[in-house]
Amino acid sequence: MAATAMTTLPQFSGLRPKISAAPVRSLAAVQPMRHKGKGALGARCGYIGSPTNLIMVTTTSLMLFAGRFGLAPSANRKATAGLKLEVRESGLQTGDPAGFTLADTLACGSVGHIIGVGIVLGLKNIGAL
């Protein structure tokens, strides 16, 4: 029932091609179609107020807020051994009065996304999401 193609595909043995005159079966007719199921990592993007979206926006916003207002370490505020934040000069230029730089924005946004993904996967694992 599988259709055969009239062209031949080149076959290789190492770096040298093997020339064969046998017809090759069409790959579309040989391989069965697989149905996509709902996997564990499937994302549903139904609307902007979905629970996954709200979790990601909240965690990223909270992390950016913490970095901007001095509740988390940044390029201009390092953490000491006692987890106190002390001001230091990093040499990065910024127009922000609090000294929040582009590197701080990227770092806090990334950590916020990591926390959000952990929450989403944890809630998905227990079946609450």
Side-chain angles (χ1 to χ4, degrees):
M1 184 153 168
T4 58
M6 289 300 166
T7 61
T8 60
L9 295 175
Q11 302 290 323
F12 290 91
S13 172
L15 295 175
R16 298 178 187 193
K18 279 197 241 177
I19 311 240
S20 67
V24 177
R25 290 184 183 206
S26 173
L27 296 177
V30 175
Q31 296 177 349
M33 291 277 295
R34 283 189 252 161
H35 296 286
K36 286 190 172 187
K38 289 176 76 175
L41 297 177
R44 289 176 290 151
C45 302
Y47 60 99
I48 201 160
S50 67
T52 303
N53 188 21
L54 292 176
I55 290 170
M56 294 304 295
V57 167
T58 303
T59 55
T60 305
S61 299
L62 286 175
M63 194 61 209
L64 286 169
F65 179 85
R68 168 65 174 82
F69 292 105
L71 303 173
S74 67
N76 293 326
R77 287 181 296 280
K78 69 174 187 170
T80 62
L83 297 180
K84 301 287 182 188
L85 296 177
E86 62 182 35
V87 178
R88 69 170 176 169
E89 188 58 40
S90 66
L92 297 174
Q93 292 181 349
T94 179
D96 186 38
F100 202 61
T101 64
L102 176 65
D104 296 331
T105 305
L106 293 174
C108 289
S110 298
V111 171
H113 272 76
I114 291 168
I115 292 169
V117 167
I119 291 171
V120 167
L121 291 179
L123 289 174
K124 215 170 214 213
N125 189 31
I126 63 172
L129 189 62

